[in-house]
C-alpha cells in the first residue's frame, strides 16, 4: 500500500528555501511598479508625481538588477522541486507521476483563481501548464536536458526573427481580443492607468481583471514566455537530478567558474539591455530579445551561484534561515504580495496608486517582503506549512495532513 505524503519540513534543504525567499524578494520589487499603476502611466504623468526625480535611475536599476532575473530563478527552482516531489513519492511506493499531475492541476486551479479574482499578472497558470509537460523530459540523459534547455531558451529569438519576416499574426489576434474585452467593460486608453485607483468596489476591480486575464495571455504569447519557462524548468530538473544541493561542496570549482563567466557576460549585456529598454529598442525587437536572453539568464545564474558560494563559506549566517521562512511558504507569500498590493494601491484599499513615485514603490515592496518574512517566522513557530501550501498538499495527497508542529 502506498504511503504518499509531503516532504517532512525537517528534511528540507535550507539553501533551496533561502533561494526561493530571495526570488520572492526580487519578484516583489519587479511586480510592485505594476501594482502601484506606475507602469501604466505616461512619462509625463510619472514625472508629475512628487519626488519623482530619481525615478528614471530607479527604473534603470530595476531593469538592470531585477527584470527577468528573479522569475528565472523561481522557475529554475520549480524544476528542482519537480525532482524532489517525484523521488519522494516513489520512495514511499506511490506513483510519482499521478501525484505530480494532481499537484499541477491543483496549482492550475489556484493560479486561475489568482489570475481571475486577485491579480492579472499571475505566473502560476503558466507554471502549472508548462509543468505538466516536464515529465516528458524526466527520462532524458543529462546531455539531452542541457540541449533541450539551450533550445527552449533560444527559441524566443527564432520566434522574433520569424515575426520580423512574416508579421506577428498570433500576438495581434490576442491583442485585439484583449482590447475588445477591455472596451466591453468600459476600460479604454484614457482610463486604463487610473481604473483600479478609482475602483471603490470589487465589481470594478473584477471588470479590470477580466480584460487583464486576456492581456496576460497576450503577454505570454508576445514574449514567448512559455519557451523560456520550460527551458528554466528543464535546467532545474537537470540540477535537481544531479543532487548538487545535497553535495554542494563537491561543485565548488564549477560554481566558481559559472559565477565568473556569468558575471562577465551578464553585467555588460545587462547594461546594453537597459539602454535598449530605455531608448525604445533602437535596433529592433530581435536585437532586444537577444540582449534579454544573454543578459537575464547569465545574471540570474550569477545570483544563484554567488549565493551558493557564500553559503559554502558562511552557512551559519542567520540570513539563510530568515530567507528560508518565506521560501517555505513561497505560494502563500506570492499570493499575499498581491493582496498587499491591492490594499495599498487600489481604490478598494488605501488608493495610493498613481500617486507614489518609483523609489517609494520599491521601498513599499521591500517593506512588504520584510513584513511577510516576520509573519512567516511567526506562523512557522506553530505550524508545519503555510496555509495555502497546507491546502495544496492535502488536495494533492488526498488525505488530511496535520498542520500543527509536533
Amino acid at each position: 500500500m502506498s504511503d504518499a505524503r509531503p516532504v517532512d519540513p525537517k528534511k528540507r534543504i535550507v539553501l533551496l528555501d533561502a533561494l526561493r525567499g530571495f526570488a520572492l524578494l526580487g519578484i516583489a520589487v519587479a511586480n510592485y511598479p505594476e501594482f502601484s499603476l506606475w507602469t501604466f502611466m505616461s512619462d509625463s504623468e510619472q514625472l508629475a508625481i512628487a519626488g519623482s526625480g530619481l525615478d528614471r535611475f530607479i527604473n534603470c536599476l530595476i531593469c538592470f538588477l531585477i527584470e527577468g532575473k528573479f522569475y528565472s530563478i523561481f522557475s529554475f527552482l520549480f524544476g528542482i522541486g519537480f525532482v524532489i516531489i517525484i523521488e519522494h513519492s516513489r520512495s514511499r511506493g506511490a506513483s510519482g507521476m499521478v501525484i505530480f499531475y494532481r499537484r499541477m492541476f491543483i496549482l492550475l486551479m489556484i493560479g486561475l483563481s489568482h489570475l481571475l479574482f486577485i491579480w492579472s499578472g499571475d505566473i502560476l497558470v503558466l507554471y502549472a501548464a508548462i509543468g505538466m509537460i516536464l515529465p516528458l523530459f524526466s527520462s532524458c540523459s543529462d546531455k539531452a536536458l542541457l540541449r533541450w534547455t539551450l533550445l527552449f531558451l533560444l527559441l524566443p529569438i527564432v520566434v522574433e526573427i520569424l515575426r520580423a519576416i512574416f508579421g506577428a499574426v498570433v500576438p495581434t489576434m490576442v491583442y485585439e481580443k484583449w482590447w475588445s474585452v477591455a472596451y466591453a467593460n468600459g476600460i479604454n486608453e484614457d482610463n486604463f492607468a487610473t481604473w483600479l485607483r478609482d475602483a471603490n468596489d470589487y465589481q470594478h476591480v473584477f471588470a479590470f481583471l477580466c480584460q487583464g486575464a486576456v492581456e496576460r495571455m497576450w503577454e505570454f504569447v508576445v514574449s514567448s514566455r512559455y519557451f523560456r519557462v520550460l527551458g528554466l524548468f528543464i535546467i532545474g530538473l537537470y540540477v535537481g537530478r544531479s543532487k548538487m544541493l545535497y553535495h554542494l561542496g563537491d561543485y565548488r570549482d564549477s560554481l566558481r567558474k559559472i559565477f565568473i563567466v556569468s558575471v562577465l557576460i551578464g553585467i555588460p549585456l545587462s547594461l546594453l539591455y537597459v539602454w535598449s529598454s530605455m531608448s525604445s529598442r533602437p535596433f529592433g525587437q530581435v536585437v532586444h530579445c537577444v540582449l534579454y536572453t544573454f543578459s537575464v539568464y547569465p545574471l540570474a545564474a550569477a545570483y544563484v551561484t554567488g549565493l551558493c558560494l557564500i553559503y559554502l563559506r558562511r552557512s551559519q549566517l542567520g540570513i539563510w534561515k530568515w530567507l528560508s521562512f518565506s521560501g517555505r511558504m513561497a505560494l502563500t507569500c506570492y499570493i499575499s504580495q498581491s493582496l498587499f498590493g491591492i490594499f495599498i494601491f487600489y481604490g478598494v484599499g488605501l488608493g495610493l496608486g498613481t500617486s507614489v513615485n518609483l523609489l517609494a514603490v520599491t521601498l513599499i515592496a521591500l517593506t512588504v517582503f520584510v513584513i511577510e518574512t516576520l509573519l512567516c517566522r511567526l506562523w512557522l513557530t506553530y505550524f508545519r506549512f503555510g496555509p495555502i501550501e497546507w491546502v495544496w498538499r492535502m488536495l494533492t495527497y488526498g488525505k488530511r495532513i496535520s498542520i500543527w508542529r509536533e
Side-chain angles (χ1 to χ4, degrees), residues 273-339:
Y273 175 73
V274 172
W275 172 79
S276 178
S277 297
M278 301 303 157
S279 305
S280 302
R281 307 174 185 183
F283 294 115
Q285 182 59 32
V286 173
V287 173
H288 188 74
C289 184
V290 171
L291 290 174
Y292 179 97
T293 300
F294 290 99
S295 64
V296 165
Y297 302 133
L299 211 51
Y303 285 149
V304 173
T305 53
L307 288 172
C308 288
L309 289 168
I310 296 172
Y311 183 81
L312 284 172
R313 292 175 61 88
R314 297 287 187 271
S315 61
Q316 74 281 5
L317 292 177
I319 187 65
W320 307 115
K321 189 174 182 179
W322 280 100
L323 285 173
S324 72
F325 293 141
S326 55
R328 287 173 59 183
M329 296 174 55
L331 184 56
T332 295
C333 285
Y334 175 72
I335 293 178
S336 296
Q337 287 178 3
S338 299
L339 296 176

Side-chain angles (χ1 to χ4, degrees), residues 199-219:
N200 53 14
D201 57 49
Y202 182 75
Q203 182 178 352
H204 284 84
V205 174
F206 184 69
F208 195 91
L209 292 173
C210 288
Q211 63 83 35
V214 184
E215 178 191 5
R216 190 58 169 165
M217 297 305 106
W218 171 74
E219 290 173 352

